[in-house]
């Protein structure tokens, strides 16, 4: 073992030594490493500082390229989804052929394609569209797609329609979806009225208002009266004639068109197959004169006997109304040959009697469709519970 | 925290001093191989990260809550804390503990907050990272300012509470600054559903705000930003500058000019409309917003811009039609448009790369990546300017800066396989510096020795 060797480390089966020459080499090597690092660091920081002075230019270029990116993306979407370029006019108005909902049409299965609808609002003739139809008929989607059309058109995007021309919209107000919140148990009426107040204060003649089921958060007569008064206010406003889509299940509001020339009635068309019906989700001119609640119940599979009794009840209630306000209301004629209907009510079945009592106790005037549905579900589960 | 505690350890004294300098921030305090949090910070930290909360006897005083994690987990835990909405100060040891006389010197090396963050792991590349400030000047006058440090945009406005509520919903700031001494009035005006950060009263004084604005933009008057006479807007903008200076004490402020946000330029929508039309967020989990549905962008910066457009549709026919013309061109020149789109894929997120360079946060590999982005951008610019039929596109790229020199400079200095971090070595291209090349040559170990 040379004397100049220095023991560095002892392992289980080995000893490690270092020589002065090795030590010198190590130091030189290490210091070279450090100097390389320092030089790289210095060079890099100088470069970074130099490039940093170009950051404003880089940001500007980024904004330009981002703009191009969005617009080329719009073109790709227009091609893929068959969107068209909306045309802007000086005059206020919204004329659209075959308008679709940009999001819903893409999530529906191919077997159930989205049903397009025309839209034709203009402050001179059809300022307010009064759209009647029950909840499941897609009124909210119709209103939403009108709002989405305006947003898409005014960001420079093409729109899901076959033809569209429109004046610039300055403000877009929406009161859609109270029925969605109903299930969440929110007390919406106060909020709804606050928002309505904001809209009425801020609207102009170039605004678009999408009002869905205004007044549904209160009792029927309150609700009809408020909805009527709001629509009348929009029509009679001395300075502004905001374009309005007014969706309601109060068919009584159809009578407004007789008194107010710029209110036009539209309804969601329904196809009947025998005595069953299906919502076609297409808008047709003209009002609808009867409530759809019973038909929804039928579609939901409520037993025919219940439907029949409800029809009788409805007829009775409507006959109580002042004759002058009564609308001619075509109804399904009950099937007189159904023999088990009689037995249901007549054979003293306690379950049937309980159902009858419960049905008669309903204050149908103050019933929202959601409450009606809950009632039906309750009854169903009670009957099911007993049968099991 | 009590300051006069005779039995307080020197370490805890140091902690208390540093902690007091960063009010409102969680302090991650480096002790040996761990980052530790104490007291309320520890309770919050353990909750957010799901780590154990322990107690430690703090001298003769009551026990103190404590939670910590190994220092190498910082990269993993810091983003989680910030994404939970916390402002976090990272306090490191400033000297080698072995060589320290007495207690190790410590200081805050990084202060990160949800709206003032630059690292990729903290940012959602699909949306802007807005910081906002709200100022109520009384008599129904309110000011609002917004900035995104990752894009350099900075805007302010003055308006009614309704306008401000609507803007806040559309911009969805990650932090909203308010005046601590008007907290109850501010909360009454806007509600507590926002990510509030409360700043002291003096921040909201006009003189100070103007001073900060002038210093930042080296201008003598606020006329230049269109904010003349809009005192509440100026004060809100000043509060943002204060907060940025606090958060980035030494670093440059990455903002490039202030502009007035005029709500009359855009389609007015109330918050309810933005929500029910599902413009930015779906109402049901799993739903699709309009902004997402219309996103066919090739770059994250396009996706972010689209989101802003959907939040603020135009009310100016000329501007809308200028956009339509580009779309029309692309529909009719599909092949050329596809070419531009594939170049845009190469451009990537140039905007945020630029922001990180602005705060000197870019590593060599990212800088090299920027050169590639610039090359792709140049290809687009050249092709657009040489196509005779693309007038609409040329208008969109007006004032496009010449960046080729920047790319060439990067390429001349850096190695094409530059490492992510400088410490790895080898970032500088051989042949750029003779002295570096010589050192590298001498370092080569002789074979067989």
């Amino acid at each position: 073992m040379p004397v100049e060797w220095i023991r560095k480390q002892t392992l289980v089966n080995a000893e490690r030594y270092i020589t002065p020459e090795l030590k010198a080499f190590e130091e030189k090597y290490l210091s070279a490493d450090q100097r390389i690092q320092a030089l790289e660091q210095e060079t890099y920081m100088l470069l970074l500082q130099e490039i940093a002075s170009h950051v404003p230019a880089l940001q500007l270029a980024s904004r330009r390229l981002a703009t191009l990116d969005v617009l080329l993306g719009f073109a790709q979407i227009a091609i893929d989804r068959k969107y068209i370029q909306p045309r802007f006019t000086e005059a206020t108005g919204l004329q659209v052929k075959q308008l679709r909902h940009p999001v819903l049409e893409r999530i529906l299965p191919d077997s159930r394609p989205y049903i397009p609808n025309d839209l034709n609002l203009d402050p001179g003739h059809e300022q307010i569209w009064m759209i009647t139809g029950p909840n499941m008929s897609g009124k909210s989607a119709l209103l939403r797609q009108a709002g989405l059309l305006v947003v898409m058109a005014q960001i420079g995007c093409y729109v899901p329609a076959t033809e569209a021309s429109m004046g610039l919209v300055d403000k877009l107000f929406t009161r859609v979806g109270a029925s969605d919140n109903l299930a969440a148990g929110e007390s919406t009426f106060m909020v709804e009225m606050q928002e309505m107040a904001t809209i009425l204060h801020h609207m102009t003649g170039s605004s678009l208002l999408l009002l869905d089921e205004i007044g549904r958060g209160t009792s029927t007569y309150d609700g009809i009266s408020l909805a009527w008064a709001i629509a009348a206010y929009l029509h009679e406003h001395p300075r502004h004639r905001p374009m309005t889509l007014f969706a309601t299940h109060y068919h009584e509001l159809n009578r407004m068109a007789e008194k107010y020339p710029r209110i036009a009635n539209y309804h969601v068309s329904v196809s009947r197959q025998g005595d069953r019906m299906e919502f076609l989700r297409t808008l047709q001119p003209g009002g609808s004169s009867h409530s759809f609640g019973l038909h929804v119940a039928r579609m939901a599979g409520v037993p025919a006997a219940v439907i029949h009794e409800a029809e009788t009840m409805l007829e009775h209630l409507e006959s109580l109304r002042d004759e002058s306000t009564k609308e001619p209301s075509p109804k399904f004629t009950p099937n007189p040959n159904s023999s088990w209907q009689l037995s249901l009510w007549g054979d003293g079945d306690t379950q049937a009697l309980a159902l009858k009592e419960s049905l008669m106790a309903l204050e149908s005037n103050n019933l929202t469709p959601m409450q009606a549905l809950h009632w039906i579900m309750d009854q169903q589960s009670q009957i099911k519970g007993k049968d099991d | 925290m009590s300051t006069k505690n005779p039995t307080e350890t020197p370490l805890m004294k140091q902690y208390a001093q540093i902690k007091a300098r960063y009010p409102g921030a969680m302090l991650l305090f480096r002790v040996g191989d761990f980052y530790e949090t104490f007291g309320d910070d520890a309770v919050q930290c353990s909750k957010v990260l799901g780590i154990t909360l322990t107690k430690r006897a703090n001298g003769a005083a009551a026990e103190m809550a404590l939670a910590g994690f190994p220092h190498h987990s910082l990269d993993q835990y810091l983003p989680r804390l910030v994404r939970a909405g916390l402002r976090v100060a990272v306090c490191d040891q400033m000297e080698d503990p072995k060589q320290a006389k007495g207690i190790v010197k410590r200081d805050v090396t990084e202060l990160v907050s949800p709206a003032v963050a630059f690292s990729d792991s903290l940012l959602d590349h699909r949306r802007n990272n807005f910081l906002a400030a709200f100022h109520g000047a009384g008599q129904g006058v309110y000011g609002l300012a917004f900035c995104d440090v990752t894009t350099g945009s900075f805007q302010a406005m003055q308006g009614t509470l309704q306008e401000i509520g609507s803007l806040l919903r559309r911009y969805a700031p990650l932090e909203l600054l308010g005046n601590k001494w008007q907290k109850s009035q501010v909360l009454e005006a806007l509600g507590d559903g926002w990510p509030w950060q409360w700043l002291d009263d003096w921040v909201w004084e006009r003189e100070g705000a103007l001073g900060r604005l002038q210093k930042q933009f080296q201008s003598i008057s606020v006329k230049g930003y269109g904010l003349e006479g809009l005192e509440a807007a100026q004060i809100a903008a000043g509060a943002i500058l204060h907060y940025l200076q606090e958060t980035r004490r030494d670093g440059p402020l990455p903002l490039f000019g202030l502009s007035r946000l005029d709500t009359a330029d855009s389609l007015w929508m109330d918050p309810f409309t933005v929500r029910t039309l599902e413009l930015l967020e779906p109402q049901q989990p799993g739903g699709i917003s309009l902004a997402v549905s219309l996103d066919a962008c090739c770059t994250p910066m396009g996706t972010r811009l689209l989101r802003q457009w959907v939040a603020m549709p135009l009310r100016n026919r000329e501007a809308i039609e200028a956009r339509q013309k580009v779309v029309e061109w692309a529909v009719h020149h599909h092949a050329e448009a596809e070419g531009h789109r594939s170049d845009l894929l190469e451009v990537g997120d140039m905007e945020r790369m630029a922001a990180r360079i602005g705060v000197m946060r870019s590593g060599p590999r990212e800088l090299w990546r920027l050169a590639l982005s610039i090359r792709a951008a140049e290809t687009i610019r050249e092709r657009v300017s040489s196509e005779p039929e693309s007038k609409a596109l040329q208008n969109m790229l007006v004032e496009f800066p010449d960046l080729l020199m920047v790319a060439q400079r990067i390429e001349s200095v850096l190695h094409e396989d530059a490492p992510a971090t400088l410490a790895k070595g080898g970032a500088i291209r051989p042949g750029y510096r003779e002295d570096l090349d010589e050192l590298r040559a001498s370092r080569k170990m002789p074979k067989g020795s």
Side-chain angles (χ1 to χ4, degrees):
Chain A
M1 187 88 46
V3 284
E4 66 271 27
W5 284 27
I6 306 157
R7 180 158 35 202
K8 209 182 171 199
Q9 199 177 20
T10 307
L11 300 175
V12 182
N13 53 2
E15 297 274 342
R16 283 187 176 164
Y17 297 88
I18 191 166
T19 66
E21 292 80 15
L22 266 175
K23 184 86 189 150
F25 185 77
E26 183 191 71
E27 267 161 22
K28 187 179 161 211
Y29 187 85
L30 277 180
S31 80
D33 243 13
Q34 280 163 355
R35 280 166 62 203
I36 288 171
Q37 215 180 7
L39 277 181
E40 286 206 330
Q41 170 99 19
E42 180 196 292
T43 315
Y44 185 74
M45 291 320 279
L46 279 172
L47 175 69
L48 201 54
Q49 264 169 27
E50 187 188 329
I51 305 301
S53 68
H54 295 281
V55 167
L58 287 165
Q59 304 262 17
L60 176 66
S62 297
R63 275 197 292 277
R64 296 279 188 270
L65 292 168
T67 307
L68 188 66
D69 192 13
V70 177
L71 294 173
L72 295 180
F74 282 173
Q76 190 60 49
I77 285 174
I79 293 167
D80 293 345
R81 304 182 199 165
K82 301 188 169 57
Y83 289 3
I84 54 102
Q85 186 183 72
R87 199 165 50 85
F88 285 93
T89 58
E90 283 305 313
T92 312
L94 209 51
Q95 282 83 39
V96 192
K97 291 229 159 65
Q98 303 280 296
L99 176 62
R100 287 119 57 199
H101 189 297
V103 179
L104 287 184
E105 76 162 338
R106 301 191 59 227
I107 56 180
L108 282 178
D110 288 347
S111 56
R112 244 186 86 217
Y114 193 81
I115 308 292
N117 271 297
D118 293 355
L119 202 57
N120 189 2
L121 285 171
D122 99 73
H125 300 94
E126 298 196 351
Q127 176 204 341
I128 300 171
W129 271 26
M130 189 66 71
I131 303 169
T132 42
N135 281 336
M136 286 171 65
S137 62
K139 280 182 302 174
S140 298
L142 285 171
L143 265 57
R144 285 193 171 103
Q145 73 191 25
L148 292 171
L149 165 88
V150 169
V151 171
M152 289 169 75
Q154 295 193 193
I155 62 174
C157 187
Y158 280 23
V159 295
T162 56
E163 218 181 299
S165 76
M166 59 184 281
L168 273 183
V169 175
D170 67 344
K171 297 177 186 181
L172 174 60
F173 292 106
T174 319
R175 257 314 302 181
V176 180
S179 54
D180 300 342
N181 298 340
L182 214 67
E186 280 177 40
S187 156
T188 54
F189 187 63
M190 185 65 188
V191 179
E192 180 184 332
M193 286 300 117
Q194 281 169 349
E195 280 163 1
M196 205 56 239
T198 309
I199 294 173
L200 296 179
H201 284 128
H202 289 87
M203 67 189 192
T204 78
S206 310
S207 305
L208 174 64
L209 275 54
L210 306 172
L211 306 178
D212 189 16
E213 300 290 5
I214 291 302
R216 76 166 305 155
T218 183
S219 72
T220 307
Y221 289 120
D222 260 12
I224 294 178
S225 314
L226 266 170
W228 182 295
I230 286 167
Y233 180 87
L234 295 174
H235 187 276
E236 297 296 287
H237 196 283
R239 292 192 309 280
H240 307 310
R241 291 180 182 175
M243 295 180 291
T244 307
L245 292 181
F246 204 114
T248 181
H249 70 284
Y250 298 135
H251 52 87
E252 289 85 348
L253 295 182
N254 284 149
R255 271 182 292 137
M256 292 191 80
E258 296 159 20
K259 195 175 169 199
Y260 301 101
R262 294 187 311 279
I263 293 185
N265 286 334
Y266 285 84
H267 68 276
V268 182
S269 72
V270 166
S271 108
R272 296 186 191 179
Q273 303 191 329
D275 60 351
R276 291 174 56 84
M277 52 190 286
E278 204 181 326
F279 301 116
L280 291 181
R281 296 171 196 273
T282 54
L283 273 183
Q284 303 284 344
S288 58
S289 50
H290 55 89
S291 163
F292 288 86
L294 295 187
H295 309 313
V296 173
R298 189 194 307 272
M299 284 168 74
V302 172
V306 177
I307 302 293
H308 172 61
E309 184 63 15
E311 277 166 1
T312 314
M313 191 66 211
L314 182 66
E315 217 166 320
H316 170 65
L317 287 172
E318 288 192 337
S319 71
L320 291 181
R321 281 196 204 161
D322 181 0
E323 281 299 312
S324 65
T325 64
K326 196 183 155 206
E327 295 286 324
S329 48
K331 286 181 202 70
F332 297 127
T333 44
N335 181 358
N337 299 326
S338 174
S339 57
W340 66 273
Q341 288 174 26
L342 293 169
S343 74
L344 177 70
W345 301 119
D347 67 2
D349 181 343
T350 52
Q351 190 176 314
L353 284 176
L355 182 61
K356 183 178 182 179
E357 256 179 55
S358 175
L359 183 64
M360 298 308 280
L362 279 182
E363 287 183 53
S364 50
N365 276 349
N366 294 330
L367 219 54
T368 66
M370 190 53 92
Q371 283 167 329
L373 204 57
H374 278 148
W375 180 83
I376 291 166
M377 282 155 65
D378 278 347
Q379 297 302 322
Q380 252 183 355
S381 70
Q382 274 177 28
I383 292 167
K384 267 187 198 151
K386 278 176 190 155
D387 285 348
D388 285 349
Chain B
M1 186 173 291
S2 70
T3 46
K4 288 279 174 211
N5 184 345
T7 54
E8 206 172 47
T9 62
L11 185 75
M12 288 317 290
K13 218 180 267 172
Q14 187 188 36
Y15 172 83
Q17 278 165 5
I18 296 174
K19 173 79 184 162
R21 297 210 315 264
Y22 296 88
M26 172 184 283
L27 187 64
L28 300 183
F29 195 66
R30 178 78 179 261
V31 182
D33 285 338
F34 279 77
Y35 282 106
E36 300 285 6
T37 54
F38 302 101
D40 292 345
D41 281 359
V43 175
Q44 211 166 14
C45 185
S46 78
K47 206 186 285 172
V48 174
L49 300 180
I51 57 176
T52 320
L53 185 69
T54 54
K55 299 245 159 115
R56 130 180 204 155
N58 183 21
E63 286 181 327
M64 192 180 211
L66 176 129
F69 53 83
H71 72 98
H72 55 76
S73 301
L74 186 68
D75 287 345
Q76 183 193 339
Y77 284 151
L78 185 60
R80 281 170 58 186
L81 291 169
V82 176
R83 264 188 249 120
L86 294 167
R87 184 167 162 78
V88 183
V90 183
C91 178
D92 282 306
Q93 298 178 158
M94 305 306 285
E95 57 188 346
D96 189 343
K98 283 178 214 141
Q99 276 146 37
K101 294 188 184 85
I103 192 153
V104 181
K105 214 189 279 169
R106 291 184 173 83
D107 206 354
V108 169
T109 51
E110 197 175 6
L111 184 57
V112 189
S113 75
V116 192
F118 293 90
S119 91
D120 247 349
S121 59
L122 288 169
L123 295 170
D124 181 345
H125 63 85
R126 291 160 304 173
R127 57 185 68 191
N128 282 92
N129 230 37
F130 284 115
L131 167 67
F134 169 77
H135 180 66
Q139 274 122 43
V141 176
Y142 301 94
L144 190 68
F146 283 103
C147 84
D148 178 351
V149 292
T150 65
T151 62
S153 76
F154 190 18
Q155 295 178 301
M157 61 82 70
Q158 196 161 303
T160 64
L161 213 47
Q162 266 149 348
E163 285 176 303
I164 282 172
S166 173
L167 285 175
L168 282 174
R169 178 161 291 278
R170 297 190 229 179
Y171 278 72
L174 293 175
E175 289 178 90
L176 177 55
L177 311 177
N179 187 336
K180 194 188 274 178
W181 301 97
Q182 297 177 357
K183 194 169 173 177
S184 61
Q185 295 100 300
V186 170
L187 284 179
E188 198 185 320
L190 291 175
D192 61 1
W194 300 105
W196 288 107
Q197 293 279 2
W198 303 101
L199 304 184
D200 279 327
D201 202 26
W202 61 267
V203 175
W204 307 87
E205 279 163 11
R206 182 159 182 267
E207 288 306 304
L210 280 180
R212 285 190 288 272
L213 284 170
Q214 280 158 13
K215 197 174 157 211
Q216 171 76 21
F217 301 114
Q218 279 123 40
S219 62
I220 19 172
S221 96
V222 286
K223 263 189 205 168
Y225 336 121
L227 291 179
E228 199 182 18
L230 304 179
E231 206 170 293
Q234 296 165 11
I235 291 174
I240 285 200
L241 286 183
H242 166 80
Y243 191 71
L244 289 180
Q245 270 152 6
E246 275 293 293
T247 308
R248 304 195 44 77
R249 293 198 172 181
D250 311 311
L253 289 175
L255 297 174
F256 306 102
L258 175 62
S259 65
R260 180 178 170 194
L261 179 74
D262 193 347
T263 51
D265 292 341
S266 62
L267 172 69
W268 172 251
M269 296 182 285
D270 54 5
F272 195 88
T273 297
V274 176
R275 196 165 65 230
T276 51
L277 292 184
E278 304 186 305
L279 297 183
L280 303 172
E281 306 296 338
Q283 284 188 297
Q284 312 287 335
I288 300 166
S289 68
L290 184 69
V292 167
S293 177
L294 297 183
D295 183 8
C297 293
C298 297
T299 73
M301 51 191 192
T303 298
R304 292 194 297 269
L305 183 69
L306 170 62
R307 203 180 154 77
Q308 281 193 61
W309 282 10
V310 171
M312 305 281 274
L314 298 172
R315 207 200 281 184
N316 174 324
R317 189 172 157 184
E318 229 172 280
I320 297 170
E321 285 173 348
R323 289 181 187 175
Q324 281 186 342
K325 281 185 188 129
V326 178
V327 182
E328 192 175 0
W329 175 88
V331 166
H332 292 128
H333 298 80
H334 193 228
E336 290 95 323
E338 275 302 293
H340 293 319
R341 277 163 62 82
S342 68
D343 286 332
L344 279 166
L345 280 174
E346 287 295 306
V347 170
D349 205 344
M350 190 156 106
E351 190 170 45
R352 285 205 166 148
M353 283 187 241
R356 274 191 292 273
I357 291 164
V359 291
M360 310 294 276
R361 280 299 192 87
S362 289
R365 187 179 294 160
E366 188 171 47
L367 208 52
W368 182 264
R369 180 71 190 75
L370 177 74
L372 296 179
S373 293
I374 291 173
R375 291 279 176 192
E378 275 300 314
T379 311
I380 295 172
R381 191 185 63 82
E382 247 169 60
R383 291 211 337 241
V384 166
S385 61
S386 64
E387 281 165 24
E389 282 174 54
S390 65
K391 191 89 187 74
L393 262 75
Q394 287 163 20
N395 290 340
M396 278 291 154
L397 295 183
V398 72
E399 289 171 6
F400 198 86
D402 186 1
L403 295 168
L404 211 50
M405 274 171 37
V406 178
Q408 284 164 349
R409 185 79 187 117
I410 294 169
E411 287 157 356
S412 71
V413 179
L414 293 187
H415 197 279
E416 62 229 56
D417 289 325
T421 60
L422 198 54
K424 290 241 159 60
I428 309 300
R429 170 177 289 277
Y432 179 68
R433 276 187 82 138
E434 255 178 53
D435 48 358
L436 187 60
D437 289 345
E438 276 167 23
L439 273 169
R440 278 176 175 157
S442 76
R443 190 193 166 285
K444 291 238 161 64
M445 180 102 67
K447 275 241 163 93
S449 64

